[in-house]
Amino acid sequence: MVSRRNFIGGAGAVTAAVTAASVSKVAMAALPEPVIQTKAHTMPPLVPSTGRPYNPVVTLNGWTLPWRVNNGVKEFHLVAEPVVREMTPGFKAHLWGYNGQSPGPTIEVVEGDRVRIFVTNKLPEVTSVHWHGQRLPNGMDGVTGLTQKGIEPGKTFVYEFVARRPGTFMYHPHADEMVQMAMGMMGFWITHPKEKHPLIDEVDRDFVFLLNAYDIEPGSATPKIMTMLDFNLWSWNSRIFPGIDPLVVRKNDKVRLRIGNLTMTNHPIHLHGHEFTVTGTDGGPTPRGSRWPEVTTDIAVGQMRQVEFLADEEGDWAFHCHKSHHTMNAMGHNVPTMIGVDHRSVVRQITQLVPDYMVMGERGMHDMTEMEMPLPDNTAAMMTGTGPFGAVGMGGMFSVVKVRKDQKRGDYSDPGWFAHPAGTVAYEWTGTLAEAPRDTQAEGMGSMKPMGRPKTDVEVTVRKPAGGHDGH
């Protein structure tokens, strides 16, 4: 549940507030009460009670930050602080974030709004906030040392500017960025159009989430901040499957997905069962003539992508990053490939000394999803999650878009697993199978004849691979 608490008030608030650039005395009169969220659930959309109306977004495993209106200015209060984020049930990470969570709350405003954001620093070092993609005065851009002084621990800065253009944006530090972003400091920003826009369609459901990544050793809780590429936890809004909530929609809803990438690599995001179009970036809505149907869009580092589709196919549709290692949890990258190697004699000897010893990888990795393996405390299983037909065998950047014809408008509750109509599920064939014909003469026919073939067939034997693996 969302809770409120007084952080700074009265004359002390005036003393603690320091401007990032010149702002009015009204802004310094008092601080709005910070709102704190301690749960990692997907919260309902926050329907605006003041200001211009708009269709609010839904933050996947997150929430929208409430505001107050002060003499026509929308005021928000962000608190940069250490947080504990449940990444999946049974696994919590010690991160840095805003207002009790990582990522921080989504900020929603309307084009033309004057916005004032108070930022209180409860971290052990200086910080700042960069408003990624915004058009604003240079002194409000949030780059420590270049456009402002760093926000010292215990101090509060205030940023004030006009939300000049509608679109999909984010916020994050530009102070000790390698540490602070590796620890989870980031958040989403949505600017809604003030009136009907020729390039922005009305939608029924509007989801937002950030791509982020962590390197947390099994059994520990704090990310390794020096990791450059070899992360072991690939997450959406600091959640990993099966801890990522489903995206629940009604059949024939027009759906918008807004995705931002603050990891160290690109992510090809793929949706099953539907085609979508890329309708916007952090540069704004894309021209209609530049749009084409896709089922996968690649999102590079520091980019935003806004995609839209018509949810006209019922079912539970997989939605994930298409880099295979990014749909696994806490995977070790130095495990040798042992597929096809017969371990039986070795296992018998080892289990006499280590009764709980288990062989990994003899028949691939999927068997691990159904084994009850002992794990270190505070660790997520590598592949986990159970569906209506057994182990899903996925982790990391994976969720499900659940399309239902009987889902009510505005209802985001999980409807459970899809009830497949009779005859629409793949099944085992138990009849006889004819021997498949094989063409053994086709190699090298036509213009490309084989050259330098060995005189006899070569039998490939399984060898333990040498070397490590990183940099993906």
Side-chain angles (χ1 to χ4, degrees):
M1 296 295 293
V2 176
S3 62
R4 296 176 179 270
R5 68 180 183 220
N6 291 321
F7 180 73
I8 303 176
V14 179
T15 303
V18 183
T19 57
S22 177
V23 298
S24 67
K25 293 181 180 179
V26 174
M28 302 295 291
L31 284 163
E33 185 181 17
V35 182
I36 307 300
Q37 173 63 267
T38 59
K39 302 294 184 182
H41 304 319
T42 300
M43 302 301 289
L46 182 62
V47 178
S49 59
T50 59
R52 298 184 183 95
Y54 57 82
N55 185 28
V57 302
V58 170
T59 305
L60 193 63
N61 289 104
W63 58 299
T64 289
L65 184 64
W67 67 89
R68 74 177 184 190
V69 176
N70 185 356
N71 290 335
V73 180
K74 280 188 176 177
E75 292 185 335
F76 300 84
H77 192 170
L78 285 175
V79 179
E81 60 182 350
V83 303
V84 176
R85 175 69 164 181
E86 183 186 60
M87 297 192 72
T88 196
F91 174 44
K92 295 181 179 180
H94 293 177
L95 306 177
W96 289 0
Y98 301 92
N99 297 57
Q101 284 293 302
S102 168
T106 298
I107 294 176
E108 293 187 74
V109 301
V110 179
E111 178 188 10
D113 281 350
R114 177 164 286 277
V115 181
R116 185 179 296 134
I117 310 104
F118 296 88
V119 180
T120 297
N121 184 9
K122 294 179 66 177
L123 299 173
E125 64 170 356
V126 301
T127 191
S128 70
V129 181
H130 168 60
W131 313 99
H132 183 109
Q134 299 285 352
R135 291 292 189 98
L136 37 60
N138 184 238
M140 297 290 176
D141 196 44
V143 182
T144 303
L146 177 65
T147 65
Q148 69 166 86
K149 293 181 179 179
I151 309 174
E152 295 286 343
K155 300 296 184 180
T156 298
F157 274 43
V158 58
Y159 297 84
E160 185 170 337
F161 53 90
V162 174
R164 292 167 53 182
R165 62 190 182 93
T168 301
F169 311 106
M170 51 189 167
Y171 61 89
H172 58 79
H174 260 307
D176 196 11
E177 184 174 327
M178 181 188 74
V179 171
Q180 294 185 15
M181 291 180 65
M183 290 291 289
M185 296 192 70
M186 58 194 70
F188 230 101
W189 178 297
I190 303 296
T191 301
H192 297 278
K194 63 182 178 182
E195 55 193 22
K196 186 171 177 58
H197 194 287
L199 298 178
I200 302 176
D201 294 339
E202 293 290 331
V203 296
D204 299 293
R205 310 216 179 198
D206 200 337
F207 293 94
V208 305
F209 61 94
L210 287 166
L211 312 176
N212 43 11
Y214 302 99
D215 186 5
I216 303 177
E217 291 285 351
S220 63
T222 303
K224 294 161 62 177
I225 60 174
M226 301 302 291
T227 299
M228 293 181 65
L229 291 174
D230 208 19
F231 297 92
N232 65 359
L233 293 168
W234 301 95
S235 58
W236 290 353
N237 272 3
S238 298
R239 294 279 285 188
I240 54 177
F241 185 77
I244 301 176
D245 285 345
L247 293 80
V248 178
V249 304
R250 186 175 63 161
K251 185 179 180 182
N252 293 322
D253 272 354
K254 180 73 175 293
V255 181
R256 178 181 292 134
L257 308 174
R258 309 181 196 235
I259 307 164
N261 181 6
L262 284 175
T263 73
M264 297 284 280
T265 187
N266 65 306
H267 296 277
I269 300 299
H270 174 60
L271 174 64
H272 292 208
H274 297 81
E275 305 84 35
F276 57 72
T277 57
V278 177
T279 60
T281 71
D282 33 356
T286 55
R288 294 192 184 276
S290 70
R291 303 174 186 179
W292 66 86
E294 277 281 13
V295 296
T296 305
T297 185
D298 197 35
I299 308 176
V301 179
Q303 285 187 335
M304 318 289 291
R305 286 291 179 268
Q306 175 182 297
V307 306
E308 295 174 17
F309 67 97
L310 182 67
D312 56 358
E313 294 287 347
E314 274 200 289
D316 294 333
W317 301 104
F319 179 45
H320 58 95
C321 177
H322 222 296
K323 288 188 174 181
S324 57
H325 283 195
H326 296 185
T327 53
M328 302 179 76
N329 298 328
M331 182 179 69
H333 293 154
N334 295 316
V335 178
T337 299
M338 304 300 285
I339 294 174
V341 177
D342 188 349
H343 292 121
R344 284 173 295 183
S345 61
V346 176
V347 171
R348 282 193 294 270
Q349 298 176 48
I350 294 178
T351 50
Q352 293 176 6
L353 301 174
V354 186
D356 291 333
Y357 176 76
M358 302 180 76
V359 177
M360 292 184 63
E362 182 177 342
R363 296 182 298 172
M365 302 299 286
H366 188 267
D367 286 353
M368 308 310 297
T369 64
E370 298 178 353
M371 293 181 181
E372 295 294 331
M373 293 182 63
L375 294 171
D377 291 340
N378 199 47
T379 300
M382 185 169 58
M383 294 184 291
T384 186
T386 302
F389 299 100
V392 177
M394 305 294 282
M397 293 178 164
F398 181 93
S399 188
V400 178
V401 175
K402 296 193 172 187
V403 182
R404 299 290 189 276
K405 65 181 178 181
D406 53 356
Q407 195 80 8
K408 291 182 171 53
R409 182 182 297 275
D411 181 5
Y412 292 87
S413 61
D414 190 342
W417 299 115
F418 181 58
H420 299 270
T424 64
V425 178
Y427 59 95
E428 179 186 4
W429 176 258
T430 57
T432 57
L433 293 174
E435 182 68 24
R438 300 180 183 274
D439 188 349
T440 59
Q441 306 298 320
E443 183 183 356
M445 298 298 289
S447 60
M448 301 294 289
K449 298 184 181 299
M451 297 182 64
R453 284 181 59 96
K455 294 182 179 179
T456 58
D457 289 338
V458 176
E459 181 68 25
V460 178
T461 57
V462 176
R463 293 185 298 128
K464 179 179 177 179
H469 166 68
D470 56 20
H472 70 88

